[in-house]
Amino acid sequence: MQTTTGPLLPEPARRTAAWCAVLLLVTGVAAVAIWLCFTFRTAVTPVLLAILGTALLGPLHRRLLRMKVQKSLAAGLTVLAVLAVAGGAAYIVVAALVDTGDQIVASLRRAAQDIARHFGVVGTSLDDLGGNAGTLLKKFGGTAASGVLSGISVVGHVIATAVLALFLVFFFLRDSDRAAGALRSLAPGETGDVVEAMARRAFEAVQGFMRGTTLIALVDATLIGVGLLVLRVPGAVGLAALVFVTAYIPYLGAFLSGAVAVLVALADRGFVIALWALGVVLAVQVIEGHLLQPVVQSRTVHMHPAAVMLTITAGASVAGILGMLLAVPLTAAATGILGELRGRYGADHGPDGT
């Protein structure tokens, strides 16, 4: 006599267990991948920077190819162009920050002291921060002076990373037509089409992020800089440069640069001008959120602001400032891959699960 026994667990419990197993597997793979990237960060960082640079410079390279320029020459000219543009932009930004940096720091210190006088005990910590800024800088300077060799090593590492990234950009641009074939050869079985589609979707997301963010950063810096110049806020050019640099950290960068601009206006031009400066910053952010973002990044993978903030926080905890800069484009790439998979396999199943 045979007895039939039902499953040990009900269907909802089995589905929950299956999803938990999948989540644990994905989390484990992600953790190992992050650990490997951190362990081999000397090699991984130039590759990631080169991918971002290739995504940004792709249109120029393709235009040169359409003009019948040989592939290697087109890639070399593109790298030379980015060297000229990036070098000039870096010089302008650094020169502006150096020329007006002391003025901005002094204005921030006066702003902290003014806030301390208005808010009493609540502002004491800000006053202490402003008063101790010089001491902290002196201590930092002494530490840096005592570790000159370490500083030289860091600078050398940064230069080597930048040079390697430029060489990789050249090869990525020159051999971009071979990327699809390489991916297909590495893909197991008959998954070549899927792997190629995922890679293209991820690269398109990174490409859209880099182009859109660069254009938005330029527009934000220009508008805020012009507004601060009209209001005659000290260090307006340096503050505009700060806006441009921090724009590559979404939301958080705009908040920090805007707060610095308002505090500088408060210290040197008074409460009314500070309100006007705040109005300029908020107006530019409204233009960005309602006009620039929808138009410029309409073809980019959109992420919720909360997801962006969590991504930036996670990137900062893993790799500091570099992690903050790379977190959003990498997450955009991952989101693009998930969208491609959902579009392929989600559409294959009808409402009845077949």
Side-chain angles (χ1 to χ4, degrees):
M1 181 177 179
Q2 295 180 347
T3 60
T4 59
T5 59
L8 295 178
L9 294 175
E11 182 65 19
R14 284 185 290 164
R15 289 185 177 180
T16 303
W19 277 110
C20 289
V22 171
L23 289 176
L24 285 174
L25 178 61
V26 171
T27 303
V29 172
V32 172
I34 293 174
W35 177 78
L36 288 174
C37 290
F38 186 78
T39 303
F40 299 101
R41 58 187 179 276
T42 304
V44 172
T45 300
V47 173
L48 294 178
L49 293 177
I51 291 175
L52 297 182
T54 305
L56 186 61
L57 299 171
L60 175 59
H61 181 254
R62 288 192 292 270
R63 176 166 295 187
L64 291 174
L65 292 179
R66 287 195 295 268
M67 296 170 61
K68 307 301 182 182
V69 179
Q70 195 264 344
K71 286 195 304 182
S72 297
L73 180 59
L77 291 175
T78 304
V79 172
L80 290 177
V82 74
L83 273 176
V85 174
Y91 175 78
I92 294 173
V93 170
V94 172
L97 291 176
V98 169
D99 292 341
T100 60
D102 293 338
Q103 194 174 17
I104 293 174
V105 171
S107 299
L108 289 176
R109 182 175 180 179
R110 285 197 298 272
Q113 292 171 348
D114 292 341
I115 293 174
R117 283 196 298 270
H118 282 88
F119 292 96
V121 178
V122 178
T124 302
S125 58
L126 292 174
D127 191 22
D128 293 340
L129 180 60
N132 293 330
T135 304
L136 292 174
L137 289 175
K138 289 179 181 178
K139 289 183 178 180
F140 178 77
T143 303
S146 63
V148 173
L149 293 178
S150 177
I152 294 175
S153 176
V154 172
V155 172
H157 176 72
V158 171
I159 294 176
T161 300
V163 172
L164 180 57
L166 283 175
F167 275 108
L168 290 175
V169 167
F170 170 80
F171 290 117
F172 288 172
L173 289 172
R174 190 192 68 176
D175 302 327
S176 58
D177 56 337
R178 304 179 186 175
L183 287 174
R184 286 179 174 274
S185 64
L186 294 175
E190 299 179 354
T191 60
D193 291 338
V194 178
V195 173
E196 180 183 352
M198 290 166 55
R200 290 185 183 277
R201 186 71 174 269
F203 187 76
E204 288 173 0
V206 175
Q207 193 175 47
F209 172 82
M210 289 300 297
R211 293 184 198 168
T213 302
T214 301
L215 180 58
I216 290 173
L218 183 60
V219 173
D220 285 356
T222 301
L223 294 178
I224 291 178
V226 170
L228 295 178
L229 284 173
V230 171
L231 295 173
R232 292 184 295 174
V233 174
V237 177
L239 292 171
L242 183 64
V243 171
F244 179 82
V245 173
T246 57
Y248 285 93
I249 305 176
Y251 302 108
L252 182 61
F255 171 78
L256 292 176
S257 58
V260 171
V262 172
L263 288 175
V264 171
L266 175 64
D268 280 87
R269 300 285 290 145
F271 184 75
V272 176
I273 298 299
L275 287 179
W276 277 103
L278 177 61
V280 169
V281 173
L282 292 179
V284 172
Q285 295 306 313
V286 169
I287 293 174
E288 175 187 335
H290 291 82
L291 180 61
L292 294 179
Q293 289 281 358
V295 173
V296 175
Q297 294 187 338
S298 59
R299 298 182 181 181
T300 311
V301 176
H302 296 284
M303 292 184 291
H304 193 276
V308 173
M309 293 301 296
L310 290 175
T311 299
I312 293 173
T313 303
S317 64
V318 173
I321 296 177
L322 184 62
M324 295 173 69
L325 294 174
L326 295 176
V328 178
L330 290 178
T331 305
T335 305
I337 292 174
L338 291 177
E340 179 66 26
L341 292 175
R342 185 168 57 249
R344 280 177 169 267
Y345 297 107
D348 292 341
H349 302 284
D352 58 350
T354 59

